[in-house]
Amino acid sequence: MLSGLNHITIAVSDISRSFDFYVHTLGFTPKARWATGAYLYLGNLWLCLSADVIASHEDYTHYAFSIRSEDFDAFAAHLKSSGVTEWKTNKSEGKSIYFLDPDGHKLEIHDGDLDSRLSACMKHPYEKMVLF
C-alpha cells in the first residue's frame, strides 16, 4: 500500500543554475550534487534535479510549497526582488504566489493546506464539486 509521496524529479537544462535557484532563492538544503543532477531537501520533501531536455509547460501542472502565513509577505517580496516571473494571479483561498523556476517549471508558495482549501470550498464549491 502507498504511504505518501517519495520524491519529485524535475528535468532541468542547467544543473548549476537550477541548484543555485532552489538552494539560494527558495531555501532548499543541498544533500548531493553531481555532473547531471542534485538531491535537495525541504521539510520532508526530497527533490531531484536531473539534467535533461525540457518539455513544454503549457498545462496547469505545478508544484506548491508550504509557508507559514506570517512569513508569506516577506518571502513573496524576496521572490519578486529575485526577478522571478509570475505566471498566474491567486484567486483561491489563502495567500499564494505563482512563479517560474529557471526552466519554466510552474511553482507556487501557498500559506494554506488541504483543510483550509476544503473549508473554503464548502462555502463556495467549484462547479459540480463533490466533497467526501
Side-chain angles (χ1 to χ4, degrees):
M1 179 177 343
L2 297 178
S3 62
L5 181 64
N6 186 276
H7 69 279
I8 295 174
T9 297
I10 297 178
V12 300
S13 61
D14 182 323
I15 292 296
S16 293
R17 180 179 68 173
S18 292
F19 182 91
D20 288 344
F21 177 78
Y22 282 90
V23 171
H24 300 295
T25 303
L26 298 187
F28 279 72
T29 300
K31 292 295 186 177
R33 183 174 171 179
W34 60 100
T36 60
Y39 291 144
L40 309 175
Y41 214 67
L42 181 71
N44 62 358
L45 172 64
W46 166 18
L47 178 69
C48 175
L49 305 176
S50 183
D52 202 350
V53 175
I54 306 304
S56 172
H57 305 290
E58 302 300 319
D59 63 21
Y60 187 64
T61 300
H62 66 282
Y63 308 102
F65 304 104
S66 296
I67 191 166
R68 296 180 325 158
S69 185
E70 57 268 25
D71 297 332
F72 181 87
D73 291 335
F75 197 79
H78 161 72
L79 288 175
K80 290 175 183 179
S81 71
S82 297
V84 298
T85 299
E86 292 185 60
W87 63 273
K88 181 181 187 274
T89 301
N90 185 34
K91 295 179 182 159
S92 60
E93 61 74 36
K95 293 181 180 179
S96 285
I97 181 170
Y98 298 83
F99 60 99
L100 303 176
D101 82 350
D103 285 298
H105 295 289
K106 295 175 181 170
L107 306 177
E108 174 188 1
I109 304 297
H110 181 66
D111 75 343
D113 58 19
L114 181 57
D115 288 337
S116 63
R117 179 63 49 89
L118 291 175
S119 178
C121 288
M122 289 174 143
K123 296 173 186 164
H124 303 286
Y126 306 144
E127 183 179 349
K128 298 184 180 180
M129 182 175 222
V130 176
L131 297 168
F132 299 95

